Amino acid sequence: MTWLVCAEMIKYTTPLLQMVQKMRQDVESLRIQVDERIFYLSTFLFPLRKVDTIDAKGKSTPLSSYIIRDSIKFKNKDVQSVTTLLEGVDELRSILNDFHSNANGDSSLSTKTFCRLRVGLVLRNLKDLWGTALLVAAIVEIHSISKTQSAAVCHRNLMDRLEEYIPRIYEFLDMIHKHKLDGSWKIRPLMDGKDLSKSLNIPKGPLIGTYMQEQVKFMLLNPGGTKADCETHLRAVRNNEMNMKTDEENDVTMKGTSEEPTTKKPHIA
């Protein structure tokens, strides 16, 4: 049954690609990078993204990775690309729906929300694959809608449904470029590990990674922020964390001292 879903998904790929290519020709400012080979592979394998299998070494491995590496003998780079893309498609689909949600089909009630932080974090994980992942996410959503309709209606309205979805893709792409998020993963951090360790008085280790991620969030929310601004923010986060830890320790201490010792009653024969 799952293989039939894979076959259903792939029928959307070529028409959508052709529409996007036409859209790029009509709108010169529209920039979207699509790896067509990864696009076809990821769309077909999307329904299998949560299925595992056993490889030749007896280890559990994602079925999508096994097919690419062991069945069609593609390179490890392709395996990694498809794996990364499939891990990010569900979140990207959710973001796309939240960005352009329609209230009961009434366009006058439609709401568009664009969260720079949420979108930026997904793009940082996908990197140059984000354009390809966006088209896969669009196909997943269109196919999901089609499942609620009859086969005849789905077939008749395939092109219409794709054409209706193109404006959503265009508007979303436009917002990504307006917020200058394309290539945001290449921006160097304002503070490196040594800076964080010295400024926040924390040792080298996992905690540095935690605050590096907090710094990424700050930079996404504050694209014009300076190193001083970032340092002030991270110190506030660190101080808040330390205060919460102190409060928790005090609560444990108070609880321990408030408990009265129990006296064992003498046994009367």
Side-chain angles (χ1 to χ4, degrees), residues 1-13 37-52 62-65 67-68 79 81-94 97 126 132-145 147:
M1 189 68 178
T2 304
W3 292 110
L4 293 178
V5 177
C6 295
E8 290 173 5
M9 297 276 288
I10 206 70
K11 69 183 179 182
Y12 295 93
T13 50
R37 191 165 60 113
I38 298 299
F39 172 58
Y40 282 105
L41 272 173
S42 300
T43 302
F44 181 79
L45 294 172
F46 177 82
L48 305 174
R49 70 195 185 286
K50 296 181 180 180
V51 180
D52 289 342
L63 180 57
S64 57
S65 300
I67 291 173
I68 299 171
V79 176
S81 293
V82 172
T83 299
T84 300
L85 190 149
L86 292 179
E87 288 174 350
V89 165
D90 288 315
E91 175 66 2
L92 194 53
R93 175 192 175 194
S94 176
N97 286 340
L126 291 168
T132 308
L134 178 60
L135 298 192
V136 176
I139 288 177
V140 172
E141 178 60 19
I142 295 169
H143 179 263
S144 176
I145 295 172
K147 289 194 298 183

Side-chain angles (χ1 to χ4, degrees), residues 172-223:
F172 189 70
L173 284 172
D174 188 49
M175 290 298 290
I176 286 177
H177 292 304
K178 282 182 177 178
H179 284 269
K180 299 180 180 180
L181 286 171
D182 185 20
S184 58
W185 56 90
K186 300 176 184 177
I187 299 175
R188 297 183 63 181
L190 296 169
M191 302 175 69
D192 60 21
K194 290 183 179 179
D195 292 334
L196 291 176
S197 180
K198 182 178 180 181
S199 176
L200 304 179
N201 192 27
I202 55 178
K204 295 180 180 180
L207 203 54
I208 294 291
T210 299
Y211 282 96
M212 286 294 287
Q213 184 64 11
E214 186 64 37
Q215 177 181 204
V216 167
K217 295 178 181 178
F218 172 84
M219 292 175 67
L220 286 171
L221 289 172
N222 304 273

